[in-house]
Amino acid sequence: MDNNNRVRRRRKQQRRSMITNIVMCLITLSALTACIVLVLKNYDLKSQSEEAMAQLKSFEEESEHYIYTQADLDSYLEEARADAQEAGENEILSELKSRMDGGSNTAAVLRDFFPEDVVVYADGSYHFFPIDEKLKKHSYVYDNFKQLENGQIEYVDDTDVVLSKKGIDVSRFQESIDWKKVADDGVSYAFIRAGVRGSTEGRMMADERFEENMEGALDNDIQVGAYFFTQAITEEEAVEEAEFVLDLLEPYDVTYPVVYDLEEVTSKNARTEDLTKEQYTKNCIAFCETIKKAGYTPMIYGNLKTFLIMLDMSQLEEYHKWFAYYNTPVYFPYEFDVWQYSSKGSISGIKGDVDLNVCMTDFGDEQE
């Protein structure tokens, strides 16, 4: 009789030990699954683990004399793993569906799911760039970019004191501008297009309204900078572009930066079509250094593709950045001074759409 009791106790202890091992395996499995799912927005599978543990407890109570074989354990663990994985995937798919149904575009969803990367949609593909810890980051507080009722954006401190300046950028496409009305609308600076280089033949041309816009802005106490739409394919051409701009700027008091405007050109037979990232970067440096040697402040204008795909930012840390992005909040982790947040803005004195900018650096004050 004593032997039988000892055998029963031993078997009971073995079952309990086996149940404990299963529970621990399930907890470990759920934790590993959760780590994988965390890559996609830190989804938690705690409920699945707790449910599995509850099932085990119930199973133990109802199966007092069941003997667990290795095959039983392997089968149950595989079932639990599949259930946990399916639950995690379904939760992710549900979240994706909800976001897409709510109007979020694919890029916006991916950017939320991969916060450690900068996600760039370009050339029909999504590119993932791990955030480079070696590059300077901006220190802006996203919530401090306040959108006004008229759609314009200001950057404020925690007491709502405005820390930014309202600006525009214009070219011949805005036609004749009433600069007095622009000034009365609170615009404090304007980037005036100085010129462009043709995308196929490569001929440089001054903007048809450059002089008119420079004089109109300055006559109404609006500080000015200038930009040149580049299509340089060599460093020599980039220097040539810079010198072309410097000649145009000679008569004017320019207190804001002189900008290298680098954008993708998709027209047929574009002369920059086969340009490498290395060459784009060399051209950019050549332009900026020429501008700097002449006593002006160089700046680079671009969007996500410009800065992440076309240029090597590690070589451009010393230059100011003007970033174009038409959604809120601004999506760019690295240092920038000016944010072009709209291409469809409305300003008194300008017919039709105009680009709107918010600047967080006192360029004009630095020049005084």
Side-chain angles (χ1 to χ4, degrees), residues 99 120 128 163 207 351:
R99 291 288 306 277
V120 182
F128 294 76
L163 303 176
D207 188 277
K351 299 175 184 178

Side-chain angles (χ1 to χ4, degrees), residues 36 43 71 89 172 181 253 298 313 326:
I36 296 172
Y43 281 86
E89 289 175 351
R172 67 179 181 85
K181 289 183 178 180
D253 181 20
M313 288 188 65
Y326 301 149

Side-chain angles (χ1 to χ4, degrees), residues 60-226:
E60 178 185 7
E61 292 172 353
E62 296 174 2
S63 307
E64 189 77 9
H65 301 287
Y66 188 82
I67 298 175
Y68 297 94
T69 67
Q70 185 62 47
D72 293 327
L73 293 178
D74 292 342
S75 175
Y76 195 84
L77 287 173
E78 177 60 27
E79 181 181 347
R81 185 201 65 78
D83 288 346
Q85 180 175 346
E86 181 180 357
E89 289 175 351
N90 287 341
E91 189 172 357
I92 293 166
L93 289 173
S94 177
E95 173 68 10
L96 283 171
K97 184 177 184 299
S98 175
R99 291 288 306 277
M100 299 298 281
D101 289 345
S104 297
N105 61 38
T106 305
V109 173
L110 289 174
R111 287 164 185 167
D112 282 347
F113 273 62
F114 294 88
E116 301 303 316
D117 295 326
V118 181
V119 182
V120 182
Y121 180 72
D123 306 321
S125 302
Y126 292 93
H127 305 258
F128 294 76
F129 296 91
I131 294 176
D132 191 340
E133 295 305 320
K134 295 179 181 179
L135 296 181
K136 298 175 186 175
K137 312 298 186 299
H138 69 71
S139 59
Y140 305 129
V141 178
Y142 290 126
D143 288 343
N144 287 0
F145 285 104
K146 303 294 184 181
Q147 190 160 29
L148 309 179
E149 291 183 0
N150 60 8
Q152 296 175 14
I153 290 177
E154 295 178 338
Y155 186 72
V156 302
D157 65 13
D158 293 337
T159 60
D160 286 338
V161 173
V162 178
L163 303 176
S164 60
K165 292 185 178 182
K166 174 180 174 179
I168 58 175
D169 57 274
V170 298
S171 68
R172 67 179 181 85
F173 296 110
Q174 276 68 49
E175 300 182 348
S176 181
I177 296 174
D178 186 333
W179 284 99
K180 184 179 185 307
K181 289 183 178 180
V182 172
D184 291 342
D185 200 0
V187 171
S188 63
Y189 64 92
F191 288 104
I192 313 295
R193 189 173 77 164
V196 300
R197 185 190 286 275
S199 62
T200 54
E201 296 180 2
R203 182 168 65 91
M204 292 190 296
M205 300 165 283
D207 188 277
E208 296 170 12
R209 293 188 180 270
F210 173 74
E211 293 182 6
E212 176 185 327
N213 284 332
M214 290 292 284
E215 293 169 3
L218 290 170
D219 287 347
N220 287 277
D221 297 322
I222 296 173
Q223 297 185 84
V224 295

Side-chain angles (χ1 to χ4, degrees), residues 101 213 222 225 268 273 283 287 308 364:
D101 289 345
N213 284 332
I222 296 173
K268 187 177 181 180
E273 182 179 3
N283 296 349
F287 181 97
L308 275 301

Side-chain angles (χ1 to χ4, degrees), residues 29-43 92:
L29 178 64
S30 295
L32 289 172
T33 305
C35 288
I36 296 172
V37 177
L38 276 171
V39 175
L40 298 176
K41 200 57 178 178
N42 201 18
Y43 281 86
I92 293 166

